[in-house]
Amino acid sequence: MSQYTNYIGKPTNRVDGPAKVTGAAKYAAEFNVPNLAYGVVVSSPIAKGKIIKVYSKPVLKIPGVLAVFSHENVPNLAWFDRNYKDDVAPGGSPFRPLHDNEVKFSQQPIALVVADTFEVARYAASILEIEYEEEDHETDIELKRTEGFMPGRGKSGWMPPPPPRGKPDKEWKKAAHRIEHEYIHGAQHHNPMEMFATTTEYHPDGSITAYDKTQGVYNAQQYISKIFGLSKKQARVVTEYMGGGFGSGLRPQYQLFMSVMAALELKRSVRVTLTRQQMFSFGHRPYTLQYVKLGTNPDGTLAALQHHALHETSRFEEYTENVVNWSGMLYQCDNVKLGYQLAELDVYTPLDMRAPGAATGSIALEIAMDEMAFEAGLDPVDFRIRNYAETDQNMKKPFSSKRLRDCYHQGAAKFGWEKRNPRPRSMRDGNMLVGWGMAGGVWDATQKKSAAKATLTADGRLEVSSATSDIGTGTYTIMTQIAAQYLGLPIEAVTFKLGDTDLPEAPLEGGSWTAASVGTAVKNVCEEMGKKLLKQAQKMKGSPLKKAKFDDVEFVNGQIRLRLDPDQAVVIRDVLQASGKEKLEAETSATPNMLKQMQHSMHSHNAVFAEVKVDEDLGTVHVTRVVNAVAAGRILNLKTARSQVLGSIVWGISMALMEETIMDHKFGRYMNHNYAEYHIPVNADVRDLQVLFVEEEDEVVNPLGVKGIGEIGLLGVAAAIANAVFHATGKRVRTLPVMIDKLL
Amino acid sequence: MNPFTYSHATAVDDAVRDKASHHDAAYIGGGTNLLDLMKENVERPTHLIGLNRLPLTKIQNDPEGGLRLGALATNADTAWHPEVEKRYPLLSQAILAGASPQLRNMATNGGNLMQRTRCYYFYDTATPCNKREPGSGCSAIGGYNRIHAILGTSQSCIATHPSDMCIALAALEAVVRVSGPNGERTIEFADFHRLPGNAPHIDNTLRPGELITGLDLPAKGFEKNYSYLKLRDRTSYAFALVSVAAALELEGNTIKDARIALGGVAHKPWRDTDVEDALKGQPATADTFRKAATQLLQGARGFGSNDFKVELAKRAIVRALKQATEMKQGPTEAFLNSNP
Amino acid sequence: MSTSSTTKRGVMGAPAAPPPTSTVTLNINGVDTRLQLAPWTSLLDALREYADLTGTKKGCDHGQCGACTVLVNGKRVNSCLTLAVMQEGNEITTIEGLGTQEKLHPLQQAFIDHDAFQCGYCTPGQICSAVGLINEGKAHTEDEIRELMSGNLCRCGAYVGILNAVKEVVDSRSNEVKR
């Protein structure tokens, strides 16, 4: 008999699928609680200056308008910066909504108008008169090239670049082949489909439930608790479904503050939803200038590698991400210099956006590697394999596992790379130039402390819970699979709950660590539950498991049975019924095994192969084929994992060809702040995309052997496409995205 | 969005009367552009006159051998109408290159002519714009103007007309039928939209209160040799950087008649009849097309970020004329090929 | 060095009273639903905020994303760019009217089977759009489906799954499919 409850790894339909396809899944702005008021945010038209006056009076006379909140009348709140710091706040002084009369960036929230209906609030907000004193602003990083500084205080997870090793300058000058180029990409905004919203339900006892759009309910809870002086009991935060995050929901956004503030002041439930334009008012992937110098020895090994990055941050926080560090570990090179600087501008603080830092750094490094291979007359895959890093030279540690070589080989084979004519402009399809390019990437495998709870009821149903998130990543599904497998229950009998501060604490969903972290907690709690079940089973009359130790039994197909004699089994449902208990409960947490992990460098890897077709006369590029080979440890669900990587490829196409937020420096304002002019791919932009998972075992990263899949798929995609464009046309575009005007 | 009242019009006369009796009234057909702009506080009518109960949805043959398109027929119904597909495939192709299926199901033919520009600054009330607020200045000149005009610009405005459908209508020399307080009249398509000059807030030559009731397509549809080529920043659901409606009448390889209309380059669909006349009698070759393209773009100038449009437009004209000559695609799949 | 100037923003004239509401009857999923609405309420807001049908999503409120797609008389439209008062007398179908979790519409099942979504926020709009696409009968090939599903953005990038899900249902309804 097959072990049908072995769910891990199987392509499994999303357990939240039926709720999502029927519209039953409720997102933050969809909790229509009674007596709800609506808040609309008024944003600053200027980039820098002072608010002289907010003329609230005329607006307050409009029937239905309940309040106008601004710095002029915001209630007394927490005073210290630390109260406004969230778990992932960078160094500096966090932005406080409605705090004072300072305008620090364009589209800064200046006021909140609350009314009985959304339409009245929107209208009143549109006519609220505000007087400003404008000051000169600086938003152009091109003018700050010489004013970069090394950040003093990063945020959690940020590592300053390692010190230089070897003689990077000298060896570069001596190298047989050399390249040095600058690479640039502009700002990008996360733009999840769901606009940020919070529905704050006000309860008669003064407590609140905030239905918020956040990637971490605990982070949001501690933020509002500290600001508004609420106890954790008084401030529950719920995010059952989230319409996309990509990092935008890591930090509590200002609609949470606004909604909670208004609800507490008005003692009434209040919903605040941002507009799509306001989705461009907080956090973005920073505009980044990068400079790469590479040199090779006659045998094609890297003689020297230098990678420097300068990106924007705000005046009030030092946003940091790991842009260049990857370049010191992805390839073997003994002469390396990495540099990283920030420049302050009058913009909002940038914000982690899918594969923060790595997505940016890999564009420069991997286009440069392609240029270097071309210069040295080497095949790009061959060149990378010649420089394969067997250890992490940054950390001087072995990798816990690294199957990148297999990514290169398997990806190349699936793509048909051996048929590539290395000469640019040599391949054609009718009138179109065809280009084949490749690139690769690396991302962290991280585990964070997480807790989970399990309840098994007499009807044989298991509920497991943890306050993690599912931002579309598949958390609901993989946790259900893990729980079902570890307790040997049919998947239909298992429910996983998340996104609620009433549940055990879990970290923010980000950094690709959720599967590893929460997954291990779920495994642990199910093992706890298993032990309790075994104890009860042993109490049963004539139990065949009487003398069994926990390691002697397995939980399979709804039974507990002896591993060595599977016929000796009891049915799990019967155990509970025999015990006379209505339910069994277990709660535990999982922490990383630091002893083991400290000795290793833990990463996922990928290799991407892309085909483009370029209409040279018209400058149009279509990505016709992509193969993305990923080594990310154990894959928990082939279906949802594949979707994550497919989505990453679409993101890569977007970064390579169309996505960019345009700032008009005269106004210090992003101008294409809508979905019509901020282009992300549509269905017609996406053709043949293939995902390949390279088998990889890893006993160090966590007991499940998973490395996470949310970011790694994005790495290398944009560079592979840019490299393919060069192969097709002979034109090297170093300022992404590659748009029509750059190819004419 | 400001407060407004709403009334359903049931007859054209009622609609026109209703409009005349309100100070800040606007007609609303599909609403796809007007409501968008009202939510941005760019348009602020205090009364809306709903048109979708007016009997103006028919598409029918007219006595002169042409086709009359009701002003309230949707873009989708027009594009997929058998007579349009058969006799005016250029129009089908252009319509289907625009917007999205959902928007084409809502947007009306009359409304398509009334679309306002996609200029970032026009849409953002935080910035000056002469079209939105006459006299406040043009932010696009000296600003970010990648999507802006290169032909027929003025010192007060470099916005473009955003429609695809209208580019084909210009090439086909449609006639706009309107009804107003002083009765009915017709407007040649070339005269319908205007250049910005020093009054960029005025997009067209409609007189106050006038309502578009229909479009007349002349008998000549160029159904044998045509192409609508649209170049944009993604494959679909994006406004044109440059588009070309090309239509040829060929005798063997000799051009008997030609029409070239450009989109994305000016405040109105751009045509130059001198260039079209010069094509007559010429062989349909790349050389001929290149000459025409150069001539058409003679007066063009960029404003910085849109400099590339001058060259792009030339190449697009050559390609569109080539496609029109060769006609490798059938009309039904033609819309897929509007992106080469 | 800093220069400054004062500027007043938001000046849009004297405040006016909100428009009065009236009873608007919308036929939603086969049920005549009476709502008290002012003219300025969009069909989308009427559904989400007044009729408590939150399956229809607001992704941009400007007709640029397709998340709000519903069917009006069987045709797909963006419910954010039409007023509720304009839709009296029409048959409106939302995602809630297509199927239930117990009895899914074939497209809903196909979207699950092909993992044609991740966060799920664009999904109701995608599915309603696909129903409209099938009603139109113009999309047969993969290219045609891609093009005619391009009015619905998906930031998660689930387009491969969406194509395959729609194609499966299109194919099952037509024997003359060409690739």
Side-chain angles (χ1 to χ4, degrees):
Chain A
M1 185 177 155
S2 72
Q3 303 194 349
Y4 70 83
T5 55
N6 282 1
Y7 294 107
I8 295 178
K10 282 187 189 156
T12 305
N13 283 350
R14 276 171 213 268
V15 296
D16 49 341
K20 284 178 173 171
V21 299
T22 54
K26 280 204 185 298
Y27 299 78
E30 297 172 355
F31 291 84
N32 288 337
V33 297
N35 197 29
L36 182 66
Y38 293 80
V40 169
V41 176
V42 180
S43 308
S44 171
I46 66 167
K48 192 175 185 180
K50 298 218 169 15
I51 307 161
I52 305 296
K53 181 144 186 63
V54 178
Y55 295 89
S56 308
K57 268 191 194 154
V59 159
L60 285 165
K61 286 186 193 144
I62 299 171
V65 173
L66 301 169
V68 176
F69 295 102
S70 71
H71 73 284
E72 292 180 356
N73 65 344
V74 78
N76 278 327
L77 299 171
W79 183 248
F80 296 106
D81 263 354
R82 65 167 183 268
N83 296 98
Y84 293 82
K85 282 231 176 207
D86 63 273
D87 290 348
V88 285
S93 178
F95 171 69
R96 304 179 186 191
L98 312 187
H99 178 64
D100 57 21
N101 69 340
E102 296 274 334
V103 178
K104 296 171 172 164
F105 56 95
S106 187
Q107 280 218 70
Q108 176 178 321
I110 301 298
L112 180 77
V113 181
V114 187
D116 283 329
T117 68
F118 165 63
E119 292 86 350
V120 170
R122 177 174 63 184
Y123 166 57
S126 78
I127 61 163
L128 178 66
E129 219 173 285
I130 300 172
E131 194 173 347
Y132 298 92
E133 185 178 284
E134 264 187 278
E135 293 165 17
D136 288 347
H137 59 261
E138 291 180 307
T139 52
D140 190 352
I141 196 169
E142 293 286 351
L143 305 176
K144 304 281 266 183
R145 280 172 177 270
T146 56
E147 291 174 47
F149 63 93
M150 179 71 186
R153 308 152 294 179
K155 63 173 195 298
S156 70
W158 177 70
M159 308 264 286
R165 59 177 181 254
K167 296 168 183 163
D169 289 315
K170 200 173 153 199
E171 292 301 322
W172 184 76
K173 281 183 194 136
K174 276 169 47 190
H177 300 282
R178 287 181 296 188
I179 59 129
E180 56 175 327
H181 292 293
E182 182 173 75
Y183 304 88
I184 300 175
H185 74 70
Q188 295 160 5
H189 281 79
H190 308 69
N191 271 308
M193 293 301 298
E194 179 199 15
M195 301 186 290
F196 271 74
T198 307
T199 304
T200 300
E201 184 175 14
Y202 185 82
H203 304 296
D205 65 356
S207 68
I208 54 159
T209 303
Y211 298 97
D212 185 34
K213 178 176 170 96
T214 175
Q215 288 172 239
V217 286
Y218 271 88
N219 191 28
Q221 184 194 41
Q222 63 94 358
Y223 180 77
I224 55 173
S225 298
K226 285 191 300 190
I227 294 172
F228 297 103
L230 298 169
S231 71
K232 303 248 157 149
K233 270 197 175 155
Q234 289 171 310
R236 179 179 167 212
V237 178
V238 176
T239 310
E240 287 179 13
Y241 293 97
M242 185 167 177
F246 317 111
S248 60
L250 289 172
R251 302 187 70 182
Q253 300 304 354
Y254 60 79
Q255 90 291 338
L256 172 65
F257 172 96
M258 298 279 188
S259 164
V260 171
M261 183 265 300
L264 292 173
E265 285 299 298
L266 299 171
K267 302 194 183 331
R268 184 173 169 180
S269 299
V270 176
R271 172 179 301 152
V272 177
T273 307
L274 301 189
T275 62
R276 180 52 61 182
Q277 179 172 337
Q278 287 165 343
M279 294 293 286
F280 292 77
S281 66
F282 59 88
H284 54 278
R285 195 191 294 284
Y287 195 116
T288 307
L289 311 172
Q290 300 183 71
Y291 200 77
V292 181
K293 287 166 99 166
L294 298 177
T296 53
N297 299 312
D299 65 354
T301 57
L302 280 168
L305 182 156
Q306 299 193 34
H307 185 176
H308 302 268
L310 169 71
H311 72 65
E312 57 183 331
T313 190
S314 63
R315 297 273 188 206
F316 44 94
E317 285 174 315
E318 291 183 0
Y319 171 79
T320 52
E321 54 184 35
N322 297 324
V323 179
V324 297
N325 302 19
W326 319 95
S327 299
M329 62 167 295
L330 187 53
Y331 303 108
Q332 170 75 31
C333 185
D334 297 332
N335 302 292
V336 172
K337 189 158 81 181
L338 305 172
Y340 177 67
Q341 291 191 317
L342 308 182
E344 280 186 0
L345 295 174
D346 295 305
V347 297
Y348 189 69
T349 312
L351 177 59
D352 283 348
M353 181 165 166
R354 203 171 198 172
T360 302
S362 87
I363 287 176
L365 176 68
E366 290 296 281
I367 297 177
M369 284 294 285
D370 197 69
E371 302 207 47
M372 190 72 254
F374 185 72
E375 190 67 30
L378 293 168
D379 172 80
V381 177
D382 178 42
F383 179 50
R384 283 170 174 80
I385 289 172
R386 278 175 202 238
N387 291 285
Y388 197 78
E390 297 291 354
T391 59
D392 178 345
Q393 286 185 289
N394 282 354
M395 310 287 290
K396 302 187 180 66
K397 285 178 189 176
F399 291 105
S400 60
S401 61
K402 179 178 174 181
R403 299 286 302 274
L404 175 57
R405 194 179 271 113
D406 302 270
C407 295
Y408 292 139
H409 289 311
Q410 293 180 30
K414 187 158 187 127
F415 187 81
W417 186 257
E418 78 281 359
K419 294 188 206 96
R420 179 178 185 262
N421 181 336
R423 199 162 47 83
R425 307 182 58 84
S426 61
M427 293 167 65
R428 279 180 184 273
D429 174 16
N431 295 325
M432 308 280 261
L433 291 166
V434 176
W436 288 4
M438 63 83 55
V442 53
W443 183 252
D444 300 317
T446 315
Q447 185 191 355
K448 300 227 169 206
K449 188 185 172 189
S450 304
K453 185 182 170 181
T455 308
L456 186 66
T457 44
D459 57 359
R461 293 197 62 83
L462 176 71
E463 183 185 288
V464 183
S465 59
S466 175
T468 180
S469 323
D470 188 333
I471 59 177
T473 43
T475 313
Y476 274 116
T477 310
I478 58 171
M479 297 307 157
T480 306
Q481 289 174 265
I482 293 169
Q485 173 153 334
Y486 274 93
L487 279 174
L489 294 171
I491 203 164
E492 301 76 26
V494 181
T495 308
F496 185 74
K497 288 177 83 173
L498 54 68
D500 187 336
T501 49
D502 283 353
L503 305 176
E505 186 162 356
L508 286 159
E509 178 163 29
S512 290
W513 58 58
T514 297
S517 311
V518 182
T520 306
V522 168
K523 169 190 166 288
N524 285 0
V525 82
C526 288
E527 285 175 349
E528 281 295 309
M529 176 66 75
K531 284 174 190 163
K532 290 189 177 183
L533 266 174
L534 177 61
K535 213 176 255 176
Q536 293 300 327
Q538 290 172 333
K539 288 184 193 163
M540 288 168 78
K541 219 173 155 186
S543 169
L545 308 175
K546 277 233 155 63
K547 290 177 188 161
K549 296 202 178 78
F550 185 65
D551 288 344
D552 297 335
V553 299
E554 56 184 11
F555 295 77
V556 172
N557 296 357
Q559 297 177 324
I560 315 174
R561 66 192 194 190
L562 289 175
R563 285 178 195 275
L564 298 177
D565 186 1
D567 290 341
Q568 300 300 313
V570 294
V571 173
I572 292 171
R573 261 173 93 151
D574 296 345
V575 176
L576 251 88
Q577 275 162 13
S579 75
K581 293 180 194 292
E582 273 179 28
K583 60 182 180 184
L584 287 178
E585 288 182 312
E587 185 165 350
T588 187
S589 63
T591 43
N593 181 340
M594 293 312 287
L595 268 178
K596 228 170 164 183
Q597 296 192 359
M598 290 284 279
Q599 297 164 26
H600 293 89
S601 172
M602 305 184 299
H603 293 93
S604 52
H605 294 87
N606 77 330
V608 184
F609 298 81
E611 176 184 85
V612 298
K613 292 189 178 165
V614 180
D615 188 318
E616 200 179 18
D617 284 346
L618 304 175
T620 56
V621 180
H622 286 103
V623 178
T624 45
R625 206 154 61 85
V626 176
V627 173
N628 197 338
V630 176
R634 189 181 191 186
I635 300 304
L636 294 169
N637 182 338
L638 270 175
K639 196 172 222 172
T640 54
R642 175 174 172 269
S643 293
Q644 286 251 71
V645 179
L646 288 173
S648 290
I649 300 174
V650 175
W651 270 59
I653 294 172
S654 195
M655 286 181 82
L657 300 183
M658 58 187 84
E659 191 172 339
E660 183 176 27
T661 322
I662 302 293
M663 170 79 80
D664 182 324
H665 296 298
K666 183 176 171 199
F667 303 107
R669 190 172 175 87
Y670 294 120
M671 289 315 302
N672 57 339
H673 44 52
N674 59 64
Y675 264 151
E677 268 85 27
Y678 184 88
H679 292 125
I680 60 170
V682 295
N683 207 312
D685 289 302
V686 173
R687 322 294 294 186
D688 179 12
L689 310 185
Q690 296 182 54
V691 179
L692 193 157
F693 290 111
V694 170
E695 275 189 46
E696 187 175 68
E697 281 178 27
D698 194 319
E699 290 174 352
V700 174
V701 282
N702 51 68
L704 289 167
V706 305
K707 289 183 173 177
I709 200 77
E711 347 256 342
I712 184 63
L714 171 58
L715 301 176
V717 179
I721 293 166
N723 293 340
V725 169
F726 170 75
H727 182 237
T729 63
K731 268 187 198 151
R732 186 64 78 174
V733 180
R734 301 187 183 91
T735 300
L736 298 189
V738 185
M739 294 197 279
I740 283 178
D741 35 318
K742 294 177 189 163
L743 287 181
L744 278 188
Chain B
M1 187 184 279
N2 60 301
F4 58 86
T5 50
Y6 180 90
S7 63
H8 281 293
T10 47
V12 172
D13 290 353
D14 293 346
V16 171
R17 258 198 306 277
D18 198 1
K19 182 102 181 333
S21 66
H22 286 84
H23 175 56
D24 273 323
Y27 297 121
I28 183 165
T32 53
N33 190 220
L34 181 60
L35 290 172
D36 175 25
L37 289 164
M38 287 170 67
K39 288 180 187 183
E40 300 281 11
N41 303 305
V42 173
E43 299 276 7
R44 288 179 290 138
T46 55
H47 179 64
L48 288 187
I49 301 155
L51 302 178
N52 51 18
R53 293 183 185 171
L54 296 184
L56 297 173
T57 57
K58 286 207 180 95
I59 294 174
Q60 54 197 338
N61 291 315
D62 73 19
E64 285 91 54
L67 194 66
R68 181 165 298 177
L69 310 176
L72 290 169
T74 65
N75 288 178
D77 285 347
T78 306
W80 299 120
H81 192 278
E83 286 295 306
V84 178
E85 282 190 312
K86 193 173 89 191
R87 295 167 58 196
Y88 307 95
L90 174 65
L91 181 60
S92 276
Q93 203 176 351
I95 293 172
L96 294 171
S100 73
Q102 290 93 315
L103 290 167
R104 297 194 293 262
N105 277 339
M106 307 170 78
T108 63
N109 291 338
N112 197 300
L113 272 62
M114 301 299 290
Q115 274 183 91
R116 309 210 66 192
T117 183
R118 279 303 312 182
C119 172
Y120 321 110
Y121 304 95
F122 174 68
Y123 262 82
D124 190 338
T125 55
T127 62
C129 167
N130 285 326
K131 185 180 272 296
R132 179 168 28 81
E133 213 176 314
S136 62
C138 174
S139 303
I141 298 173
Y144 187 69
N145 47 40
R146 185 166 177 275
I147 61 175
H148 288 76
I150 51 170
L151 285 161
T153 55
S154 76
Q155 287 182 335
S156 24
C157 183
I158 58 170
T160 60
H161 174 71
S163 166
D164 290 294
M165 179 182 188
C166 288
I167 311 307
L169 290 172
L172 292 168
E173 296 188 344
V175 174
V176 186
R177 304 183 76 88
V178 303
S179 212
N182 300 317
E184 297 183 2
R185 68 179 181 120
T186 59
I187 307 170
E188 297 291 320
F189 204 84
D191 300 330
F192 184 83
H193 295 102
R194 57 186 297 284
L195 291 177
N198 53 14
H201 59 291
I202 305 169
D203 289 347
N204 56 55
T205 54
L206 282 177
R207 293 171 194 151
E210 281 186 332
L211 173 68
I212 301 170
T213 56
L215 293 162
D216 289 352
L217 297 174
K220 194 165 176 176
F222 296 91
E223 72 284 359
K224 288 204 180 80
N225 293 90
Y226 64 92
S227 178
Y228 188 73
L229 176 65
K230 181 175 181 181
L231 298 166
R232 42 189 154 173
D233 282 325
R234 64 182 172 198
T235 308
S236 187
Y237 202 9
F239 290 93
L241 290 167
V242 168
S243 70
V244 184
L248 293 172
E249 192 185 343
L250 296 173
E251 204 171 69
N253 196 41
T254 305
I255 300 168
K256 274 190 71 190
D257 197 0
R259 305 273 174 81
I260 307 167
L262 302 181
V265 297
H267 199 259
K268 61 184 289 188
W270 189 265
R271 273 184 73 196
D272 184 334
T273 47
D274 289 346
V275 176
E276 293 170 5
D277 287 343
L279 281 170
K280 289 176 189 167
Q282 300 292 315
T285 61
D287 207 36
T288 306
F289 301 156
R290 267 194 293 273
K291 272 183 206 147
T294 308
Q295 203 184 339
L296 238 169
L297 272 295
Q298 229 156 34
R301 65 162 287 211
F303 292 83
S305 358
N306 70 345
D307 291 350
F308 71 98
K309 278 192 178 185
V310 180
E311 178 62 22
L312 184 65
K314 286 182 195 168
R315 297 186 188 188
I317 291 165
V318 174
R319 177 67 62 83
L321 287 167
K322 181 170 182 277
Q323 287 180 181
T325 306
E326 294 171 357
M327 286 308 289
K328 283 184 180 155
Q329 81 266 356
T332 49
E333 70 260 24
F335 78 96
L336 292 175
N337 300 325
S338 62
N339 294 284
Chain C
M1 258 296 289
S2 166
T3 60
S4 69
S5 62
T6 60
T7 168
K8 271 192 184 182
R9 302 299 177 94
V11 190
M12 295 271 181
T21 63
S22 61
T23 304
V24 176
T25 304
L26 296 178
N27 186 287
I28 309 170
N29 300 325
V31 179
D32 275 341
T33 309
R34 290 160 64 86
L35 302 169
Q36 277 300 121
L37 299 175
W40 63 6
T41 298
S42 70
L43 175 59
L44 174 60
D45 289 330
L47 293 170
R48 284 170 65 86
E49 309 296 341
Y50 295 84
D52 198 23
L53 290 168
T54 55
T56 307
K57 304 304 182 195
K58 185 184 276 191
C60 70
D61 213 17
H62 289 277
Q64 299 161 356
C65 78
C68 68
T69 302
V70 300
L71 298 150
V72 172
N73 300 331
K75 289 184 175 176
R76 45 178 165 164
V77 302
N78 299 120
S79 61
C80 72
L81 286 187
T82 185
L83 301 170
V85 290
M86 291 162 67
Q87 298 303 334
E88 273 191 304
N90 291 329
E91 287 178 14
I92 298 154
T93 307
T94 69
I95 191 72
E96 290 92 344
L98 290 182
T100 62
Q101 294 193 58
E102 293 70 39
K103 195 164 186 282
L104 295 170
H105 183 279
L107 272 162
Q108 290 172 322
Q109 185 63 53
F111 266 62
I112 293 174
D113 293 342
H114 291 276
D115 210 30
F117 54 92
Q118 293 189 40
C119 79
Y121 200 77
C122 73
T123 312
Q126 299 274 3
I127 292 173
C128 286
S129 188
V131 172
L133 173 145
I134 290 169
N135 290 348
E136 290 157 12
K138 303 293 181 187
H140 307 290
T141 65
E142 289 189 358
D143 278 349
E144 286 165 348
I145 294 170
R146 285 187 182 109
E147 168 62 30
L148 292 176
M149 283 302 292
S150 284
N152 295 80
L153 300 187
C154 170
R155 182 56 156 163
C156 297
Y159 294 125
V160 172
I162 293 165
L163 168 70
N164 291 333
V166 176
K167 183 151 197 308
E168 179 183 290
V169 180
V170 167
D171 284 357
S172 73
R173 304 206 170 182
S174 158
N175 297 320
E176 324 156 340
V177 179
K178 39 185 177 161
R179 264 186 86 96

